[in-house]
Amino acid sequence: ARGVGGAGVSAQLLVAQREDARSRLGAHQAAIRAFGEVAAAFVDARALDDVLHLIARQVCALVGVTRCSVYLRDEATGLFRGQVAHADHDIDARIKVLVAGMPADGFTCEIMATKAPVVVFDAVHDPRPIRAAVRTFNIRSMLGVPMLLADEVIGLLFLDDEDRPHA
C-alpha cells in the first residue's frame, strides 16, 4: 500500500507540473503575440503615439491591470515626459502634462537607480510616489517598469488599477 500511495503522490505532482508548464507556455505565447503586434506597428511606420498606445494596451493585458501610462526621457532635461496611457477612459491629455524623475519623485528615482521594476503596495502611505499623482489618479498600488536601451533608462511604464490595491 505504501508504494501505491507514493505513486499516487508522484502522479499528482507530475500532473501539477504539467499544468504549471502549460500555464507558463500560455503566458509566454501571449507575450510573443503582444511583441509581434508591436513589431508590426513599427514596420507599418505608425505614429509614435499609436505605437506607445499599443504597447500600453498589450502590457495591461499581459500583466492583468487596467491602466498603463508611458513616459519617455527628454534628452534636454533627463526627466520623463508623459506620452500616452491606456485606461478605461481617455486620459492622454492629463498624462501629457506630467513629468517624472524629479528629485522629490522617489518612486521614479528608485526605478532609474535600480534599472529594475519597482512595486509600491500602498501608494497612499508610501513616501516614494508623488502625492498629487496618487490622489489625482486614485492610485492604491502600482508597478513602475523601466524601458531600457543599452542599459540606459529611456522610458517608463507605470501600471495600476484605479482604486484597486494589489498584494
Side-chain angles (χ1 to χ4, degrees):
R2 187 172 186 187
V4 173
V9 170
S10 294
Q12 289 174 342
L13 182 60
L14 183 59
V15 169
Q17 288 173 340
R18 281 188 195 151
E19 290 299 318
D20 183 51
R22 284 185 188 131
S23 175
R24 284 187 307 215
L25 180 61
H28 180 74
Q29 289 171 333
I32 289 172
R33 278 193 301 276
F35 285 115
E37 285 187 37
V38 171
F42 279 116
V43 170
D44 291 344
R46 294 186 190 170
L48 179 60
D49 276 8
D50 292 342
V51 174
L52 295 177
H53 272 115
L54 178 60
I55 291 169
R57 187 179 75 238
Q58 293 294 354
V59 168
C60 282
L62 290 171
V63 176
V65 297
T66 60
R67 189 164 56 187
C68 175
S69 55
V70 180
Y71 289 67
L72 296 178
R73 191 183 67 225
D74 179 331
E75 292 294 328
T77 65
L79 299 174
F80 296 86
R81 302 213 172 266
Q83 303 295 310
V84 301
H86 174 76
D88 61 1
H89 59 284
D90 185 5
I91 59 172
D92 278 6
R94 294 168 66 193
I95 295 299
K96 287 184 181 288
V97 299
L98 299 178
V99 176
M102 294 172 284
D105 182 359
F107 181 55
T108 299
C109 290
E110 185 176 340
I111 296 166
M112 292 168 44
T114 62
K115 297 180 182 176
V118 174
V119 176
V120 171
F121 291 103
D122 184 359
V124 174
H125 297 102
D126 193 310
R128 294 173 294 173
I130 298 292
R131 310 283 6 116
V134 170
R135 283 189 306 272
T136 300
F137 292 98
N138 299 317
I139 299 168
R140 297 298 168 252
S141 59
M142 63 191 296
L143 171 66
V145 180
M147 297 167 62
L148 299 172
L149 177 66
D151 202 43
E152 186 176 341
V153 180
I154 61 165
L156 302 163
L157 302 174
F158 294 125
L159 298 103
D160 75 293
D161 286 317
E162 187 172 7
D163 282 331
R164 189 178 121 208
H166 292 272

